[in-house]
Amino acid sequence: QKEVEQNSGPLSVPEGAIASLNCTYSDRVSQSFFWYRQYSGKSPELIMSIYSNGDKEDGRFTAQLNKASQYVSLLIRDSQPSDSATYLCAVNPLRGGGADGLTFGKGTHLIIQP
Amino acid sequence: NAGVTQTPKFQVLKTGQSMTLQCAQDMNHNSMYWYRQDPGMGLRLIYYSASEGTTDKGEVPNGYNVSRLNKREFSLRLESAAPSQTSVYFCAGGTAYTQYFGPGTRLTVL
């Protein structure tokens, strides 16, 4: 059974600080990894994807992947109140060409305190 | 929502009624997906379609059927709705490296 684990939170971070979100996964064959942001009552929005070990930066967001430890994280620098949302970690084992969908964690609720 | 549309946005059904949720994408992606999202359970895959003419079961397919009408459209049908199918349903389109979600359908089964 593929599993993706996240701390449900809430994670409370002061405005301007770095928010660190963590995710572990059980399926060693997982090859692609995603972070989605979901505001209450809205659909998930893709903010980062990462496929190789190491760091990937996009603006204020940095995704980190360590396949040996089966661990992926998301750092949000200079956190803003608008970053307050639930962050979903998702993995794709890329079986059968990878078209068989994503496995999601239950999400971490992030609160940025002004 | 990157070119994925869903109808309806809200629906209330009585137990035993049937309905079809519609999804269309204009991104020209081969793959389309249906997920449900329940409090405390996260997003779970119901069915997916890797390409036009093919469909496969995901994690929670019981009680649902799907049709990949063409490359753009992927519908989800509830033949006999049950209260356990009360959920928010999301359609997505994409590839192994990215998936974009529609706005969702909030379904309540009484």
Side-chain angles (χ1 to χ4, degrees), chain A residues 14-92:
Chain A
E15 183 176 356
I18 296 175
S20 178
L21 304 165
N22 304 314
C23 171
T24 59
Y25 59 95
S26 63
D27 191 344
R28 286 192 169 275
V29 303
S30 296
Q31 295 294 323
S32 57
F33 307 86
F34 307 87
W35 284 100
Y36 284 83
R37 177 175 62 199
Q38 187 174 27
Y39 294 113
S40 181
K42 301 296 185 181
S43 61
E45 173 191 9
L46 180 65
I47 55 173
M48 289 288 290
S49 58
I50 186 167
Y51 317 116
S52 303
N53 279 328
D55 295 359
K56 179 181 178 182
E57 185 174 322
D58 184 0
R60 296 186 297 112
F61 299 97
T62 299
Q64 299 174 317
L65 175 61
N66 184 325
K67 289 185 179 180
S69 299
Q70 296 177 240
Y71 177 91
V72 59
S73 64
L74 179 70
L75 302 178
I76 306 174
R77 290 181 299 280
D78 189 23
S79 296
Q80 302 297 310
S82 59
D83 295 326
S84 298
T86 297
Y87 288 80
L88 307 174
C89 174
V91 305
N92 189 327

Side-chain angles (χ1 to χ4, degrees), chain B:
Chain B
N1 292 314
V4 180
T5 58
Q6 292 183 238
T7 56
K9 292 185 178 180
F10 300 94
Q11 184 70 49
V12 178
L13 293 178
K14 295 181 179 179
T15 297
Q17 288 185 318
S18 63
M19 78 161 296
T20 300
L21 281 65
Q22 306 287 352
C23 174
Q25 54 111 358
D26 61 4
M27 303 174 294
N28 203 38
H29 287 143
N30 285 324
S31 300
M32 297 185 73
Y33 309 85
W34 278 104
Y35 294 87
R36 61 178 287 175
Q37 187 173 36
D38 304 292
M41 297 296 294
L43 278 154
R44 293 179 292 170
L45 183 65
I46 305 171
Y47 270 93
Y48 65 97
S49 171
S51 61
E52 184 179 350
T54 68
T55 61
D56 285 286
K57 296 178 180 179
E59 182 185 354
V60 288
N62 291 344
Y64 305 96
N65 287 300
V66 291
S67 296
R68 184 73 183 269
L69 304 172
N70 47 56
K71 192 171 186 178
R72 290 188 64 250
E73 298 174 288
F74 187 37
S75 63
L76 178 72
R77 183 162 178 83
L78 287 70
E79 291 290 352
S80 179
S84 61
Q85 295 177 303
T86 293
S87 188
V88 181
Y89 292 85
F90 290 105
C91 177
T95 69
Y97 300 99
T98 187
Q99 286 188 22
Y100 295 102
F101 283 78
T105 295
R106 188 173 295 273
L107 175 67
T108 300
V109 182
L110 302 176

